[in-house]
Amino acid sequence: NKILCIVGARPNFMKIAPIMAAFRTRTPQLAVKLVHTGQHYDVAMNGRFFEQLGIPAPDISLEVGSGSHAQQTAEIMKRFEPVIDAEAPTVVLVVGDVNSTIACALVAAKRRVKVVHVEAGLRSRDRSMPEEINRILTDQLSDRLYTTEAEALDNLVAEGIAAERVVFAGNVMIDTLQASLAQAVPAEATLAAARDPEIFLQASQGYAVLTLHRPSNVDDVQALTRLLTVLGELSAELPIVFPVHPRTQNKIREAGLGAFLDNPHLLALPPVGYFEMIGLMREAKLVLTDSGGLQEETTALGVPCLTLRENTERLITLSQGTNTLVGADPDTIRKAVNDVLTTGGKVGRAPALWDGHAAERIVDDLACWLGVSA
Ligand code: UD1
């Protein structure tokens, strides 16, 4: 039995880390290799995470880089097919919903290699979101599907996927969060980069963390301007630290919106490492984001999250966690921020099986499914 684990983009790294670790400790008899597609390649988006999360260096690197969705997906497929042929794996394990996930799942399925999907069954029901397409198709191609919340099973069954293939395993991202909190970098250290760090560190008011990278928020100049305007205004009340995704950085530059970041109350940083990010979030008054992972991490940390999207696939963060959907309407955002500032925000609880042991359950189940003893 040989397993190829796939990573490509930043949110994959936190998911694969505990899975690789669990394979190492629980099933040393399984041959496990890590394939990196190279969808993300910058040190800030890639290298630093391998180091901090103790992920072994990839055995195979496809180095595809950036491109349109079709180009990127096709390039991954072209480069992954010979890997499948050379390695002859029993299983290809993919995580999340990025282009690398669907590209490798599709190649594997056509070569009759079993596909395992970690983080299956999440649905935003918004097909304008490229990740939604990736999620639906990857789940259709998968032989074993591990879910992070019980409701995901209903989504899968409604799409004709046999319930026997689906295992509720919990959230591997939270495994990584729990294992890393002791190494979180204190916010103070990261905020020291501010022109006036005192603005951020006054205990009485606190600060917010902002991330933005969804095409719906950043690719359209008007939408981006509207968001940056309201967030700029709000920063006078609650200073905002903003690690800027390269995609967003490019869009801000192209649109000539750099002046929005010239605000002492809005600290724009290059993408920060994982330990820096969890340190910032843990101490934040609130998080404003359009990311999927941050909705989950804030729920696990008990920090209020305002999601700058009209929908989410992580419904459990709304029903049980600290997440609130606020969309992109300036008035709604203003009101939601003020609600958090006056009431302290939504109080949640940790969803079932977000307990730090999801990867162990996945590896044990996988071993059993493959007929090897864990
Ligand atoms: C991808 C994922 C998204 C995930 C996000 C996390 C898909 C469809 N989307 O979106 O689900 O939430 O990663 O970051 O797979 N760039 C760099 N350096 C890098 C990588 C990218 O500068 O290391 C720039 C390039 O200009 C590139 C742009 O960022 O064109 C976007 O990168 P891409 O991988 O296409 O998608 P993301 O927006 O990062």
Side-chain angles (χ1 to χ4, degrees), residues 9-11 39-42 45-46 66-67 69 72 97-100 130-131 134 213-214 245-247 250:
R10 184 170 61 180
Q39 177 174 348
H40 285 174
Y41 42 85
D42 283 355
M45 296 296 286
N46 171 51
S66 302
H69 282 267
Q72 191 173 58
D97 56 15
V98 302
N99 287 341
S100 302
E131 293 80 2
N134 293 344
H213 75 284
R214 289 259 101 77
H245 188 288
R247 173 194 196 89
N250 294 342

Side-chain angles (χ1 to χ4, degrees), residues 143-170:
D143 297 283
R144 197 123 188 111
L145 302 93
Y146 295 104
T147 59
T148 53
E149 48 179 89
E151 291 78 359
L153 175 63
D154 304 334
N155 294 334
L156 294 168
V157 168
E159 291 171 14
I161 292 164
E164 307 84 73
R165 296 181 170 196
V166 183
V167 179
F168 174 35

